[in-house]
Every structure is written in structure tokens, then in C-alpha cells.
Amino acid sequence: MPTCAICDDTGWKTIEVDGVERVTRCECVVQKAATQRLNDARIPPRYQRCTLDSFITYPNEKLIRAVETARRFVEAFPVVDRGLMLIGPPGIGKTHIAVSVLQQVIRRTGAHGLYYDTRTLLREIRSTYNPVLHQAEMDVIRPVMEAELLVLDDIGAERLTDWVEETMSSIVNTRYNERRPTIFTSNYEDIPDEGEMNSLLVRVGFRLHSRLREMCEFLEYDGPDFRDLPPNAGAEDLLGLWKTQPRRKLPVKSQGQARAQLRAPKHADKVDLKWSGGRAGS
Ligand SMILES: [Zn+2]
């Protein structure tokens, strides 16, 4: 018994175009490819069922704008000029939005998509380090550079060292030059203050920050932590909690310390690994 009634599992079907019979790929082939690509996208199990429709919104203007922009991105892909940068405190569903876009794009277009938590990515690159052969590192880095759509979750969480800065710049700049969109999430607010330790600018460094501004639409919002809510919470619960929960206050940090870190001379930090895979964006 063939599993596809349309093409008898040949993968091809006949359609009529202007009265002429033509042979074209059957949807089952496209579906199969999309399913395979979804399996290869490294989406964490807890996010595998996420869609933008399952994301609960409530009257929070910036949140609604973020979700609407995400929807437009899915519809427009691959014709998109810029990626997305979702910024806000932990637990407000940034990863849900990012992964939903990734899954919906793969389902709709069959594109090569990839998800990585930034720290996991850096750990995998480090663990494959070999002073002589760069093949293993490139086996990790190449798919990240070449994915048609990449989600890099929680950027800025890793302590900034020369190696981290160089590795991230290489990946991000390659994607920028090849015009491949990336969706980032970050817990660090985009405050134009180089003295603020917990700003995106300080967490990722000047060069990467200005590149991110160029290549992404920034969508910053706040909201209640989903983890404080009962599992069946709805829009009303979210709105109520959002209104009563104190807004995130940035901790007061020693400004001198942040400046010192940003302006530290190169190689002041112990660099545990050199990656000679490219020095883009310097
Ligand atoms: Zn078929």
C-alpha cells in the first residue's frame, strides 16, 4: 500500500497548467523534507510544540509588537532584510517566540534552520579544539554559519573573553556578509551606557553590538515571569501579574569596573583557546 495516495509514493504528481499536463514534486516530498529539517534543527524538546499561535499575549504594547513582527518575518521569509533581536528579562517567552519562528519557517519553506543556546555552541566549539586540525571545530561552526535561519539563544550570557568575542564575531559577521538572517535572544537590556555592566553592549563588546544593531530589528519588551504562573494561566493572569510585578531594575554596579573591563588591553584575560578560523569584522 502506498502511503501517499496522490503520487503512489513516486514523489511526482501530474498537474494541469493552462490545459497542459505537467509533472511536479508531490507535497509529500516537501513535507518529508521539512520534517527531516525540523529533526535536524536541534530544537530543545520542551520547545518543540511552540508556535506563535500558542503564545499567550495580553495588552502589552511592546510584546504584541514583538509577536506581530515575528509573524511578518515568518510570512516574508526568505525575503527578509534583517533578523530579530528579542530582549527582555528571563522567563517572558523570548525563546518561545524565536523557536516558533524557526519551526514555522522550516515547515513553510523547508529551509535549513538551526537552534543553538549560545553557551552550548561555544562549549561545543571549545570541546572540539585541536591545535593542529581545525576540522572538528569547523564541523560545528560551518552549519551555524551556513544555516538559512539561525536562532542564537541567550547571547551575552557567556563571559566575554577575547576568544568568545572573536568566535562570535566570526560567526555573526559571516552570516551578515552572506545575508543569512539570525534571531537572537538576550536577557541584557540595550542601554547605550558603556558603564553599565548588565547592558548588551558590555556583555557582547562594541564590535558585535554595532553589527547586531545593523543586522537585526530590536524588539525589547518586559512581562511577568511565566515560571511564576500556574500551568493553565491565561491572558488575564499574565496581565494581572505584569501590572503588579515590579519592573526589572538594573542593579547598581560600579561603573569604573565596567569601563575597565571594556577597555582592558587585548589578551589581559587568560585566553583558553585560539581559533584561527578567521578574523572577520576587525
Ligand atoms: Zn506524494
Side-chain angles (χ1 to χ4, degrees):
M1 275 285 282
T3 48
C4 181
I6 301 167
C7 69
D8 278 343
D9 293 349
T10 61
W12 298 94
K13 63 174 182 178
T14 311
I15 52 160
E16 216 179 88
V17 182
D18 300 329
V20 182
E21 280 202 344
R22 293 255 167 89
V23 170
T24 183
R25 275 285 178 205
C26 180
E27 273 93 69
C28 69
V29 177
V30 181
Q31 277 309 312
K32 221 184 239 169
T35 305
Q36 188 56 49
R37 297 259 156 101
L38 272 177
N39 291 338
D40 295 342
R42 300 182 54 109
I43 294 165
R46 63 180 291 216
Y47 291 109
Q48 270 168 7
R49 289 174 186 279
C50 287
T51 66
L52 289 172
D53 289 332
S54 69
F55 190 77
I56 302 165
T57 55
Y58 53 93
N60 173 344
E61 204 181 307
K62 287 180 174 173
L63 168 70
I64 289 169
R65 185 177 153 245
V67 176
E68 286 309 313
T69 308
R71 262 187 229 288
R72 281 199 301 277
F73 184 97
V74 172
E75 283 159 19
F77 191 91
V79 190
V80 289
D81 301 337
R82 292 193 293 172
L84 308 173
M85 168 63 91
L86 295 154
I87 293 180
I92 60 166
K94 301 184 298 294
T95 306
H96 183 135
I97 296 177
V99 168
S100 299
V101 172
L102 180 64
Q103 301 206 76
Q104 286 175 233
V105 161
I106 297 171
R107 277 213 184 84
R108 205 175 64 74
T109 66
H112 273 291
L114 197 58
Y115 168 94
Y116 256 109
D117 172 84
T118 305
R119 276 170 301 186
T120 306
L121 173 63
L122 290 166
R123 195 167 55 236
E124 283 189 16
I125 297 171
R126 260 191 212 107
S127 71
T128 55
Y129 175 63
N130 177 314
V132 183
L133 301 166
H134 289 287
Q135 188 53 44
E137 283 165 87
M138 285 316 292
D139 287 347
V140 176
I141 294 168
R142 192 173 293 114
V144 174
M145 286 176 168
E146 292 180 353
E148 289 165 275
L149 179 59
L150 174 70
V151 170
L152 264 187
D153 205 7
D154 213 359
I155 190 171
E158 179 87 5
R159 193 173 64 89
L160 192 64
T161 62
D162 284 346
W163 179 83
V164 167
E165 194 172 10
E166 188 180 327
T167 304
M168 289 300 293
S169 293
S170 295
I171 292 168
V172 169
N173 283 322
T174 300
R175 296 189 58 78
Y176 173 82
N177 291 333
E178 305 287 332
R179 295 175 165 274
R180 295 184 186 119
T182 309
I183 300 173
F184 300 90
T185 78
S186 185
N187 293 336
Y188 296 96
E189 277 184 271
D190 190 32
I191 321 162
D193 178 2
E194 64 185 60
E196 177 47 65
M197 291 290 278
N198 286 319
S199 67
L200 185 65
L201 173 67
V202 172
R203 297 297 309 188
V204 303
F206 283 119
R207 276 191 302 165
L208 190 53
H209 179 263
S210 71
R211 181 60 91 210
L212 293 172
R213 296 263 8 161
E214 272 178 275
M215 63 192 277
C216 290
E217 178 162 0
F218 274 52
L219 299 164
E220 200 158 345
Y221 69 98
D222 67 0
D225 192 330
F226 277 96
R227 293 165 298 192
D228 295 343
L229 287 160
N232 56 349
E236 302 238 316
D237 304 293
L238 283 158
L239 181 61
L241 199 56
W242 181 51
K243 288 199 161 151
T244 54
Q245 226 178 33
R247 292 294 199 280
R248 172 168 70 175
K249 288 265 192 309
L250 283 161
V252 180
K253 292 273 179 173
S254 121
Q255 301 214 335
Q257 198 189 350
R259 289 215 174 82
Q261 180 181 314
L262 260 184
R263 287 175 181 162
K266 284 271 167 193
H267 311 295
D269 247 333
K270 190 176 178 294
V271 181
D272 47 346
L273 160 57
K274 290 271 189 230
W275 180 53
S276 59
R279 288 181 172 268
S282 52

